[in-house]
Amino acid sequence: MSAKYPFKYCETLGTPALRRLPERLHIKGAGDPELLLIVRLLSGAARFDHIKSDKTIKQNENYFSEDLKGYGQRWDAKFPKLVAEKYTSKLFSEFIESARFQNKSFYKNILAELSYYFYYQAKGGHATAFVFLYRALEHISYAFPLIYASKTDDFSKTFRFLQELMSGDKKSGELGFFKSFIKTVYKDDPIFESSVDFPITLETESEQKKIFNILRELCKGNMIADATEKPRIISIHYVEIGSFIIELRNRFFHYMNGGAKNIETSNILDVDILFSLVNKKCLYWLSTVFLAVFSHAALDFETIRTRIA
């Protein structure tokens, strides 16, 4: 990583855990593959220093799990099972090594956006953290579908996949290509029918109702899922979370005089509280999409390698 890069990454696993883990998966603080750092960061197994402020952030929440519960010192055994039941840390290390020079600039930018997200979350700047969450979403919106499609040696399968994306709803709006990708990838997966719950927990009932109504008004069409419980839980269909993130960004950060109703800051006692209620679940969703693309690439690597052998 360049000396001008704003963050430096450090190992958090103890000596026994590192002995079980292939050395290529250790965080050394220099020359670490960006993809490895992203995975370690999102799975709650890394810490980093923000160089300018000299502030250290220990990221121990696992965004691949909806409850954010980390793996502790058993990361070597537990994380690979997210890729596949019989997948191992050794296979993961071999895949990381094979991909370390692919899309480096892309992953470097994603790593920076996520690091700034965690940095501002730790400072309590949740509105600012959301900006970096949204920037990460924009980075991946076109790259992930192409990365997903490219990790196969079956040309006809790749062509059909991209053709299906391109023939989607042309009026789906901002990041519509990515939304089509989400629906196509998950159409045969149980997660397609699932939802993500956003608990609204605040000190007073009046503030709880106010924030609930603000978030509820962002949900257009069929975004709202049955688990929604006024004024305590907003539940949004899994495939609609991207649209929810976009709508929140547009209605808060893009002040418009006509059309959609803006979020009025004069009605919110603390905007950071608003974003604190949505940020973690939104990043959980984005992380699961990342995991799907990463797992597809990792398993395809194993298939092709086995075929060649």
Side-chain angles (χ1 to χ4, degrees):
M1 201 72 69
S2 167
K4 295 182 179 179
Y5 197 77
F7 301 99
K8 181 180 179 181
Y9 302 88
C10 312
E11 187 60 76
T12 58
L13 297 177
T15 300
L18 291 175
R19 284 174 180 163
R20 298 190 302 267
L21 199 64
E23 189 175 351
R24 284 182 291 202
L25 298 183
H26 296 189
I27 297 178
K28 301 179 177 65
D32 299 307
E34 288 81 5
L35 181 55
L36 170 64
L37 293 174
I38 291 171
V39 169
R40 291 284 302 269
L41 201 59
L42 289 177
S43 58
R47 64 182 174 88
F48 62 89
D49 299 327
H50 180 237
I51 295 171
K52 183 173 177 58
S53 68
D54 199 29
K55 184 176 180 63
T56 298
I57 309 297
K58 186 174 182 180
Q59 205 318 79
N60 54 17
E61 292 182 317
N62 178 15
Y63 282 82
F64 295 125
S65 174
E66 190 169 9
D67 63 8
L68 305 182
K69 186 176 181 180
Y71 299 131
Q73 297 298 307
R74 296 298 299 167
W75 188 91
D76 61 302
K78 293 187 176 182
F79 171 76
K81 303 307 178 189
L82 294 182
V83 178
E85 182 60 34
K86 296 184 179 180
Y87 201 71
T88 66
S89 58
K90 181 176 183 297
L91 294 177
F92 178 47
S93 72
E94 292 168 352
F95 169 72
I96 287 292
E97 183 63 24
S98 74
R100 65 179 297 132
F101 298 115
Q102 298 174 10
N103 303 305
K104 279 184 67 66
S105 179
F106 166 73
Y107 286 121
K108 183 178 179 181
N109 287 331
I110 293 294
L111 180 60
E113 305 295 0
L114 293 174
S115 298
Y116 269 119
Y117 165 86
F118 289 119
Y119 173 69
Y120 282 104
Q121 279 280 107
K123 292 180 65 177
H126 302 291
T128 305
F130 178 86
V131 172
F132 290 99
L133 172 64
Y134 185 84
R135 284 173 59 88
L137 174 61
E138 283 199 321
H139 275 298
I140 72 174
S141 62
Y142 277 92
F144 269 20
L146 298 179
I147 291 171
Y148 185 95
S150 70
K151 299 300 182 180
T152 176
D153 58 352
D154 186 337
F155 175 78
S156 61
K157 182 179 178 181
T158 300
F159 179 77
R160 287 194 301 272
F161 176 76
L162 291 175
Q163 187 179 49
E164 191 169 351
L165 294 188
M166 295 300 186
S167 62
D169 183 5
K170 300 297 191 301
K171 298 180 181 180
S172 55
E174 192 175 5
L175 306 186
F177 181 67
F178 185 60
K179 186 174 180 179
S180 296
F181 164 71
I182 297 296
K183 290 184 175 180
T184 301
V185 167
Y186 289 112
K187 64 182 178 182
D188 297 321
D189 192 305
I191 204 171
F192 187 88
E193 301 297 333
S194 71
S195 60
V196 177
D197 295 339
F198 295 81
I200 312 299
T201 52
L202 294 170
E203 291 182 358
T204 67
E205 186 176 346
S206 61
E207 190 66 11
Q208 187 178 37
K209 289 180 179 179
K210 184 178 295 183
I211 297 299
F212 178 93
N213 290 333
I214 288 173
L215 296 178
R216 178 64 181 84
E217 288 175 359
L218 297 176
C219 300
K220 301 186 298 185
N222 62 345
M223 285 187 189
I224 290 292
D226 292 340
T228 292
E229 183 181 342
K230 185 178 181 178
R232 291 183 287 273
I233 298 172
I234 293 280
S235 185
I236 301 176
H237 290 293
Y238 182 88
V239 296
E240 297 291 344
I241 298 295
S243 297
F244 174 76
I245 295 172
I246 293 166
E247 194 68 17
L248 177 54
R249 171 260 198 174
N250 286 345
R251 301 266 290 276
F252 187 87
F253 293 98
H254 279 193
Y255 196 87
M256 297 171 286
N257 290 321
K261 184 179 178 181
N262 301 296
I263 295 176
E264 301 287 349
T265 54
S266 59
N267 292 326
I268 304 173
L269 294 178
D270 187 338
V271 295
D272 280 321
I273 289 178
L274 170 67
F275 286 96
S276 74
L277 296 172
V278 300
N279 280 358
K280 290 186 177 184
K281 288 300 183 77
C282 288
L283 183 56
Y284 154 71
W285 173 82
L286 194 59
S287 299
T288 60
V289 176
F290 177 87
L291 179 65
V293 174
F294 160 76
S295 298
H296 174 75
L299 294 176
D300 238 39
F301 171 73
E302 288 303 313
T303 299
I304 295 171
R305 188 169 66 163
T306 301
R307 193 178 301 162
I308 292 174

